[in-house]
Amino acid sequence: MNVFKAENVSIGYSNKILFKDLNFEIKTGVLTSLLGSNGIGKSTLLKTISRLLHTISGSLFIDQQPINQLTQVDFSKLVSVVLTNENVNKELTVHELVKLGRQPYTNWLDQLTAEDAAFIEQTLVACEIADLAQRKLSQLSDGQLQRSLIARAVVQDTPLIFLDEPSTHLDLYHKVRLFKLLKNLCEEHNKCILFSTHDLDLALQLSHEIMLLKDEHFYHDTTEDLIKEGVFDRFFDTDDIV
């Protein structure tokens, strides 16, 4: 089991702290949704634990080792990240993009083994983009590009995967397929997946655990226990939705 741990972490920017003294653990085998309103700090939290932003204070660990002591190569073998609006070369094909996920493991010639190639093909099928393999990214819909970026993260084969709103641009069918794919990766392949989303209904149905950023409060527990505690009762700040 791999464990990602935050101890007394404060996140934000030099002129503004968004959340103070966050403490949580997420483990392999567990699918965790990160919920909260627009602009509250979900992306900032994901970027901070992905080493794209510095913590204001506190410490982050993977299996008790501080993540700031890991080399970039070692970190990339433990954590893969999918961000919204990621800048990628749109002249790449889907297969070329997904292949990039194997870079932490290939030699300086960027040569793939037969096992690498087979794993890429399996992932293209699992993410339902095998038929798009030779299409350029510039020719994809937003949803197809999103699934391609997720496939690249899966191919990176890390125990920890962090995704920032991966269901954006997907229709309902592909949102459900995505959530089930992420859950299968956790349960069948022992991944630890944390992803932000606005799809509260699907998150409640399919996530093992939920993190919720609400006002200045941070909640993290099993989905069932958070529902029992009533933390979602005022999630929308309106009486029109219950």
Side-chain angles (χ1 to χ4, degrees):
M1 177 183 292
N2 298 94
V3 178
F4 187 98
K5 186 175 183 179
E7 287 187 354
N8 301 316
V9 169
S10 296
I11 64 169
Y13 303 91
S14 57
N15 60 342
K16 184 177 183 180
I17 297 176
L18 298 178
F19 285 89
K20 296 180 179 179
D21 300 325
L22 299 180
N23 291 278
F24 61 83
E25 281 188 4
I26 47 179
K27 304 178 180 69
T28 46
V30 176
L31 177 64
T32 303
S33 295
L34 174 60
L35 303 175
S37 59
N38 281 330
I40 197 167
K42 299 189 302 297
S43 294
T44 302
L45 175 57
L46 287 170
K47 288 179 180 178
T48 302
I49 65 177
S50 302
R51 297 206 319 187
L52 299 173
L53 291 175
H54 293 295
T55 58
I56 293 175
S57 61
S59 301
L60 298 167
F61 304 88
I62 297 176
D63 296 335
Q64 301 183 331
Q65 184 172 6
I67 69 170
N68 59 7
Q69 294 181 7
L70 295 168
T71 67
Q72 187 57 45
V73 171
D74 287 339
F75 186 74
S76 65
K77 291 180 180 179
L78 293 169
V79 176
S80 53
V81 182
V82 178
L83 301 175
T84 52
N85 303 316
E86 186 171 340
N87 290 322
V88 292
N89 183 350
K90 294 297 181 68
E91 291 305 304
L92 292 173
T93 66
V94 169
H95 188 276
E96 288 169 338
L97 173 71
V98 175
K99 175 186 170 184
L100 291 175
R102 296 306 299 164
Q103 280 191 333
Y105 311 96
T106 55
N107 59 29
W108 64 277
L109 293 174
D110 197 28
Q111 292 178 329
L112 295 178
T113 66
E115 290 78 10
D116 288 327
F119 186 31
I120 290 171
E121 295 304 320
Q122 292 166 8
T123 303
L124 291 171
V125 172
C127 293
E128 299 185 338
I129 53 172
D131 59 326
L132 305 174
Q134 300 309 316
R135 192 179 296 184
K136 288 187 177 182
L137 303 186
S138 60
Q139 300 172 320
L140 302 182
S141 68
D142 289 339
Q144 290 169 335
L145 177 60
Q146 192 76 353
R147 281 184 279 149
S148 300
L149 292 168
I150 292 166
R152 183 191 61 185
V154 173
V155 161
Q156 197 171 325
D157 198 23
T158 57
L160 303 148
I161 304 176
F162 302 146
L163 308 102
D164 191 8
E165 299 195 24
S167 56
T168 301
H169 307 307
L170 300 184
D171 58 31
L172 180 59
Y173 169 79
H174 285 106
K175 283 182 180 181
V176 174
R177 295 290 297 174
L178 169 65
F179 273 67
K180 289 190 174 182
L181 170 64
L182 297 180
K183 191 167 188 176
N184 177 264
L185 288 170
C186 291
E187 295 180 342
E188 302 297 328
H189 301 276
N190 203 34
K191 304 293 185 182
C192 168
I193 297 180
L194 171 64
F195 70 105
S196 62
T197 181
H198 288 288
D199 294 306
L200 176 63
D201 51 345
L202 291 176
L204 292 177
Q205 292 179 65
L206 295 172
S207 302
H208 300 113
E209 297 182 358
I210 286 179
M211 290 183 184
L212 174 63
L213 303 176
K214 176 67 173 171
D215 300 322
E216 296 180 354
H217 301 288
F218 172 78
Y219 304 89
H220 178 213
D221 208 332
T222 65
T223 305
E224 182 179 1
D225 285 346
L226 288 178
I227 292 172
K228 288 179 179 177
E229 292 167 15
V231 299
F232 299 107
D233 290 352
R234 301 300 304 170
F235 183 80
F236 292 102
D237 291 324
T238 175
D239 294 327
D240 297 328
I241 304 173
V242 294

